[in-house]
Amino acid sequence: TGSSDPYCIVKIDDEAIIRTATVWKTLSPFWGEEYEVHLQPAFHSVSIYVMDEDALSRDDVIGKVCITRDMLAEHPKGYSGWVSLSEVDPDEEVQGEIHLRVEVLGSQGGRRLRCTVLEAR
C-alpha cells in the first residue's frame, strides 16, 4: 500500500525490554516515547528492531540498528547521525535509516547510556 505500520523493539543482548506503540500508515514514524533502563556493566549490545505490524500475519522485520560496546568505545563522547538499517533476514531487502543520538553520561563509577531515536525514514 506504500506505507507501513511501524513500531520498535529494543533488545539488550537479545532480550526484548521495550516495545513502542505502533504508528499507523506511515513511512516517517514519530513515537515521542522515553524509556529508562539499567544496563549491566558487562552488556554487549543494544539493538533497535524496526517492525511492521501486520494484523493478518506475522509482523515483518524492516531492519535493525545495533549499538555495540565497541561502537561506544570508538565514540566515547557519544554519536549523532543517520544509521542505515541492517538486515535481519538475508532474503529481505532493507531500506531505511534511523537518526540516532547516543550519549555516555556520568563518570566511570556511575555511567549511563542515553540513546535517542530522533527520526526514522
Side-chain angles (χ1 to χ4, degrees), residues 3-19:
S3 67
S4 294
D5 301 318
Y7 66 92
C8 292
I9 294 176
V10 178
K11 294 183 177 184
I12 297 176
D13 294 335
D14 289 327
E15 180 183 347
I17 57 164
I18 295 169
R19 185 206 191 277

Side-chain angles (χ1 to χ4, degrees), residues 54-70:
D54 192 337
L56 302 177
S57 66
R58 204 170 101 204
D59 295 353
D60 297 319
V61 180
I62 296 173
K64 76 172 184 174
V65 169
C66 187
I67 302 161
T68 64
R69 290 178 65 86
D70 293 340

